[in-house]
Amino acid sequence: MDVVLSDATNDPVPESVNESLLAGPLDLGRQTRNLLLARPLHELAAKVRRADYGDGEFQDIDTHYLALAMFDFIMEGSVFGLGRLREEVTSYLAEVVRQMKPALGEDRCNQLALEILNSLHNTDNRNEQFDFPYYDVASATTRSYRFSLLTFERQDDNQYKYRLTEAAILLYVGQLDIGAEQMQTLLDRMTAELVKRGRVNEALDVSRQAYLQAVRYQDSIRTRLDRAQRVPDAISWKQDLEPFIEESREHIDERGKEERSLLGLVKEKINNTSDRITRERLVRLCETVEREADIHLHLLRLVAQAGEKYLEASRTMFRARQRHRLPDMEDRVLPQLLKLPQASLTQVAQRGWHVLLPPNVERVFNLRQVIELLTEPQAEPPVRSDDPDIIKPIPEEVPHFGPEVVREGNRYLKLTFGAGRPVFIDEVLEKAEADGLDAVVRDYLVFMMYQSFSREEDIFGVDAQPQGRFNLPRVEGSRLLFTPRDTHDEQ
């Protein structure tokens, strides 16, 4: 890593120089240099666009994909071999271009493949290193960063072959997208290992990256929970939110254990170190880890409150929303508009005249209707209160049946269910009507049979399951199937 990020032309900045600046302006030199590694790819894309001449020949060509594919091809050739020949690289790129855009001719595919290879090898500048400026905080100057992506050298088999430099490998591997959880686990363990080996400066850089990953993880959790609170009806608690919260809680607990262990290790190193600069860096490392731990502590509270906030958001969906009063156009808006100068009023009318139009425009067919509409007095709208609406509970109306009706209905249902065979609710009601039961008794039968759908309130020893719907002249609803309950199930 140090070789990739070192300057090929300027002397490296000693670690002891400008130590006080490290606590001041943020040193982003390494990140800036890593960004510059992708600069040749962007220039290649712009160069291909300029060569399009407006005819759309290279319109669907993704040069970034072609560059990364070439890196992967050369890297694979360097595993068991010594690199890739020039003919191998151009043939591979031409085939990828042909797959990307079949309408492109073979000559143009070969030409574009050669252009990509030469551009990333910087052939236009005699294969010299790429040279880009960047601002260095430690020295407070603009420095020059030089690097190469490809090398073309004679190998042991006496052939010239292409190989990737460490800068190209860093550029290629750095594009891999790893989740924040995995990155936090990896970086925390790397920090602990670097501290054990005494490489405090690198441990400080890695801990900074771990802190940024914690911020990234915090943002992802907040976004997920905020969405659940905004649209709770679009998210299933059991399937979507509960597993996510459980995984987040386990990850945060694991991070807390790792951070406590790392803090203990760093504090032990501080007590055993006499060098001033090393102690200062260890103190900054300890502060960075503590800031990361604070984020996880805040996330733990956020995750713990997620269930309660989700329930509150779900309840809010069923509340009557408070009406907000809009300003009266004739009393407040139009008088202010009429006080404006004519030029200003004209500008306002050109931009916002449409807001004065009603939602439904009435059709007027003659001048008399126009005059009637203009002279018709408008009724004063009722003044609405800004107080929140109150939802009054609806009193539950329980049907009242006489003792004779209750005894007759229970007796009839016990005889019907005592037969020991499954029976539908509509069959019971039709048979009761055929047996001459009164309409009030049949109403009681309906009430008791639907009450038996709840196993806790059933008094006849049957299980009820809905099987579609039924429709009779006096009642309609879910068609319940009643089956005798096994004595073994009751136990």
Side-chain angles (χ1 to χ4, degrees), residues 206-216 288 291-292 295:
V206 175
S207 67
R208 170 68 181 174
Q209 297 181 31
Y211 171 76
L212 296 178
Q213 291 296 332
V215 175
R216 174 190 173 192
T288 305
R291 291 170 61 196
E292 183 181 355
I295 292 178

Side-chain angles (χ1 to χ4, degrees), residues 13-32:
V13 180
E15 295 182 354
S16 59
V17 175
N18 292 333
E19 185 68 19
S20 60
L21 289 176
L22 295 176
L26 189 60
D27 187 4
L28 299 175
R30 176 173 295 183
Q31 293 89 328
T32 305

Side-chain angles (χ1 to χ4, degrees), residues 225-267:
L225 296 181
D226 289 346
R227 181 176 180 273
Q229 294 175 22
R230 287 196 302 268
V231 284
D233 57 332
I235 294 179
S236 172
W237 171 265
K238 282 290 183 184
Q239 298 179 2
D240 301 328
L241 207 55
E242 188 178 25
F244 170 74
I245 290 177
E246 189 63 30
E247 293 175 2
S248 301
R249 186 181 293 110
E250 292 178 358
H251 175 75
I252 294 172
D253 291 340
E254 183 182 354
R255 296 276 58 74
K257 295 178 183 178
E258 294 276 352
E259 288 158 357
R260 287 191 293 271
S261 175
L262 181 58
L263 285 174
L265 178 62
V266 173
K267 291 178 181 178

